[in-house]
Amino acid sequence: MGLFSRSKRRTIIEEFVSDDPFDLEKPLLYFSDSDPWRIRDACEGLQIFGGTGSGKTSGSGRAVAQAFLRAGFGGLVLTAKKDERRLWEKYLREIGRDEHLLVFSPSEKWRFNFLNYELNRPGEGAGQTENLVKLFSSVMEIAERKQQQGSGDNYWQRAMRQLLRNAIDLLVTAKGQLSLFDLYELIRSAPQSIAQSNNEDWQKNSLCFQCILEGDDKPKNELQRHDFEMAARYWLSEFPNLAEKTRSIIVSTFTVMADGFLRGSLRELFCTSMNFAPELSLEGAVILLDIPVKEYGETGQLSQVLFKYIWQQAIERRDLSQNSRPVFLWADESQNFITSYDREFQSTARSSRACTVYLTQNLPNYYAELGGGDKAKVEADAFLGNLQTKIFHANGDNTTNQWAADLFSKSWQMRGSVNQGYASGGVSGGQTSSESLEYDVLPQELSLLRKGGPETGFVVESLIFQGGRVWNATGKTYIRTNFNQE
């Protein structure tokens, strides 16, 4: 945390009189002796920027993580690097909460059949086709945007949702249950032409056609009958009439995603049994997804995005009158995990007492991961606008530093100048002054912040901004704060 005297902080804390450990006004950290960062502030979201080696993880990241743990928060931790598990094990051990860590990993006992969960979870929307479609869409968004960088064409997203909607409706009607393997097989066995849909050999060997026959025989109410007939018509008429290239792109987008979940350790983790649920975070569990992107590649990325979406939905369904414990969503190297749903989630996170903390090197990481171009910039800026606190560490990226300087704002400053001239009578001159609008913090100043390590006494320097706040210690929209790595 900030380098402030314990006595001063204790005096301020004693002024806080609420007995509720999760009162929104309870301070978590102090960025100066007179500037607390409260639970309320954390629920409004935090973005930490800092170049490689800037101390963002070991400085402000560590301070915030330990503040959350001390306050009794539950949470979800996404992992990009292999050593993040050890880091969080250390955090919880130092706080004395070792038993609250739930590591979701092939080497651990925990399993989460996400389709069974979505079909049977608490809440009125359980098992609804559209909710299942949104679940898959949140994952496939990442694969789609990489294939169509900057295109801005939503056709493929709509076509994919249509495919999934009709596959889920048909399978649930016919089988009364849903598995990723059956979903995969149904889509893979769908007719490629009208002629094939009438072929007896295809009909005999196609799971898609078998489900149409079984579903037709099942008793259904009027609504179910309508949905089934729509699905059957799609598979026997609309789907085989698609252009071959269009059809293959839609199918392969799904099968590429599903393939990783249907083999090896990810199949074991996500498609077998279920012995825990995301709601454990509300009881204080810190769920760590030890499927790091650097080790598992795209399948590790997609699986964590899938779980993150399910977790976000579970937190939004919570009943605060029954459980008011704040929870956090933590992602270092956050560019790997950002989706368009994050903006929607963050817009209501405060009312769900959910504290999003994303850490990345720079803004262009987000722009590139979201597909590049103007659309990606708009999406990233809209999301970041919903994270009210921004912490900036040393950075060599001009885009990020310029963006930070604009956040800190400008002020009118007096500039003086001296004029001298020479005439026959001697030297003449005078002084003038003018008022100009200047940056309070120049962009290049962010590249000179101390980065920690032995040469700075393990002190990491930062500049902090919070929307709508003027800091008591500075009287400005930003505050300079140090974090001790030790």
Side-chain angles (χ1 to χ4, degrees):
M1 67 179 66
L3 300 180
F4 316 120
S5 69
R6 291 181 180 272
S7 59
K8 287 186 178 180
R9 278 190 262 115
R10 188 179 298 114
T11 300
I12 298 172
I13 291 172
E14 286 171 355
E15 295 175 2
F16 182 79
V17 296
S18 173
D19 293 329
D20 179 4
F22 303 133
D23 190 304
L24 291 175
E25 300 305 318
K26 181 179 179 180
L28 293 167
L29 288 169
Y30 281 83
F31 292 143
S32 82
D33 287 343
S34 57
D35 288 294
W37 195 64
R38 305 156 299 170
I39 292 178
R40 180 185 302 279
D41 302 317
C43 291
E44 294 175 354
L46 168 62
Q47 173 66 58
I48 301 176
F49 286 110
T52 302
S54 65
K56 65 180 180 296
T57 300
S58 59
S60 62
R62 172 174 172 263
V64 172
Q66 291 189 330
F68 287 172
L69 296 176
R70 279 194 301 271
F73 291 14
L76 173 65
V77 179
L78 311 179
T79 63
K81 296 173 288 188
K82 194 173 180 179
D83 61 355
E84 289 184 71
R85 173 177 177 171
R86 290 194 297 273
L87 183 64
W88 279 87
E89 286 174 337
K90 181 174 182 289
Y91 288 164
L92 278 107
R93 186 170 59 251
E94 290 173 345
I95 300 300
R97 290 185 57 189
D98 312 53
E99 73 279 8
H100 293 161
L101 181 62
L102 190 161
V103 177
F104 186 55
S105 163
S107 63
E108 301 293 336
K109 66 179 181 179
W110 306 106
R111 299 293 178 262
F112 181 69
N113 188 316
F114 69 96
L115 285 178
N116 278 350
Y117 171 83
E118 278 296 315
L119 284 171
N120 301 295
R121 63 167 173 77
E124 296 180 1
Q128 289 188 8
T129 299
E130 202 57 35
N131 288 336
L132 290 162
V133 170
K134 288 179 180 178
L135 167 62
F136 282 109
S137 297
S138 71
V139 179
M140 290 185 290
E141 175 190 326
I142 290 180
E144 285 185 66
R145 71 192 181 206
K146 287 181 178 178
Q147 292 176 6
Q148 305 150 43
Q149 286 200 0
S151 69
D153 188 354
N154 289 323
Y155 168 76
W156 300 110
Q157 297 174 26
R158 296 193 302 270
M160 175 58 59
R161 287 196 291 268
Q162 183 185 28
L163 175 99
L164 285 168
R165 188 179 298 114
N166 286 287
I168 291 168
D169 275 346
L170 181 58
L171 195 56
V172 171
T173 301
K175 303 292 186 183
Q177 59 185 16
L178 188 63
S179 76
L180 187 60
F181 179 78
D182 284 346
L183 200 58
Y184 180 95
E185 282 298 306
L186 186 151
I187 293 171
R188 191 189 62 80
S189 67
Q192 304 299 298
S193 66
I194 295 295
Q196 187 180 46
S197 68
N198 294 313
N199 181 280
E200 290 186 5
D201 287 339
W202 172 81
Q203 293 176 356
K204 187 185 303 181
N205 296 297
S206 168
L207 176 63
C208 180
F209 190 73
Q210 291 169 19
C211 286
I212 292 173
L213 293 180
E214 290 180 37
D216 193 46
D217 289 338
K218 292 288 177 69
K220 296 176 283 294
N221 60 35
E222 184 178 346
L223 179 60
Q224 292 168 335
R225 166 62 62 180
H226 176 268
D227 290 348
F228 170 76
E229 289 176 353
M230 289 284 291
R233 190 178 302 118
Y234 172 83
W235 291 113
L236 294 177
S237 176
E238 186 172 349
F239 181 77
N241 269 320
L242 290 171
E244 182 180 355
K245 183 177 180 181
T246 300
R247 187 172 55 246
S248 66
I249 290 175
I250 297 170
V251 170
S252 66
T253 301
F254 172 77
T255 56
V256 165
M257 182 280 292
D259 186 72
F261 288 91
L262 291 171
R263 62 182 73 236
S265 56
L266 290 187
R267 184 192 70 82
E268 179 68 22
L269 285 173
F270 287 99
C271 298
T272 54
S273 58
M274 185 169 69
N275 54 12
F276 84 102
E279 286 83 356
L280 282 179
S281 288
L282 299 174
E283 304 303 321
V286 177
I287 301 170
L288 184 140
L289 305 184
D290 190 24
I291 321 168
V293 176
K294 296 298 183 183
E295 184 171 354
Y296 287 84
E298 187 178 42
T299 55
Q301 180 185 31
L302 296 180
S303 62
Q304 292 189 72
V305 167
L306 179 145
F307 193 95
K308 180 191 75 168
Y309 176 82
I310 294 173
W311 184 89
Q312 288 172 321
Q313 293 273 294
I315 299 307
E316 289 182 315
R317 289 192 302 269
R318 74 184 301 184
D319 183 350
L320 283 173
S321 67
Q322 300 296 316
N323 184 334
S324 63
R325 182 191 304 272
V327 292
F328 62 86
L329 169 61
W330 190 281
D332 205 343
E333 303 292 342
S334 52
Q335 70 275 8
N336 290 290
F337 309 108
I338 188 172
T339 67
S340 58
Y341 187 73
D342 286 342
R343 175 175 54 83
E344 184 179 339
F345 174 73
Q346 190 55 38
S347 67
T348 59
R350 177 175 170 179
S351 61
S352 302
R353 296 205 176 186
C355 310
T356 299
V357 182
Y358 274 14
L359 301 86
T360 191
Q361 284 84 13
N362 52 56
L363 268 175
N365 276 349
Y366 284 145
Y367 299 158
E369 189 62 33
L370 288 169
D374 292 339
K375 183 174 182 293
K377 185 178 184 302
V378 169
E379 285 189 15
D381 289 348
F383 167 66
L384 290 169
N386 285 330
L387 299 177
Q388 291 300 306
T389 303
K390 280 94 171 175
I391 299 180
F392 297 91
H393 292 280
N395 210 322
D397 178 68
N398 183 65
T399 300
T400 307
N401 293 348
Q402 183 67 55
W403 189 78
D406 289 334
L407 275 181
F408 299 147
S409 76
K410 298 179 180 180
S411 60
W412 291 101
Q413 300 179 26
M414 297 299 296
R415 300 293 182 189
S417 60
V418 177
N419 299 312
Q420 285 189 337
Y422 296 89
S424 58
V427 178
S428 64
Q431 294 183 343
T432 62
S433 62
S434 61
E435 195 175 32
S436 61
L437 195 60
E438 305 285 349
Y439 281 115
D440 284 345
V441 177
L442 295 173
Q444 58 264 37
E445 289 184 52
L446 282 95
S447 66
L448 301 174
L449 296 173
R450 288 180 291 175
K451 296 161 50 174
E455 60 272 20
T456 65
F458 297 98
V459 171
V460 177
E461 194 174 17
S462 71
L463 289 169
I464 303 175
F465 170 90
Q466 187 177 345
R469 181 169 189 168
V470 174
W471 300 91
N472 293 321
T474 63
K476 296 182 177 295
T477 59
Y478 67 92
I479 186 171
R480 192 179 296 262
T481 297
N482 295 333
F483 295 92
N484 195 324
Q485 291 174 309
E486 295 187 317

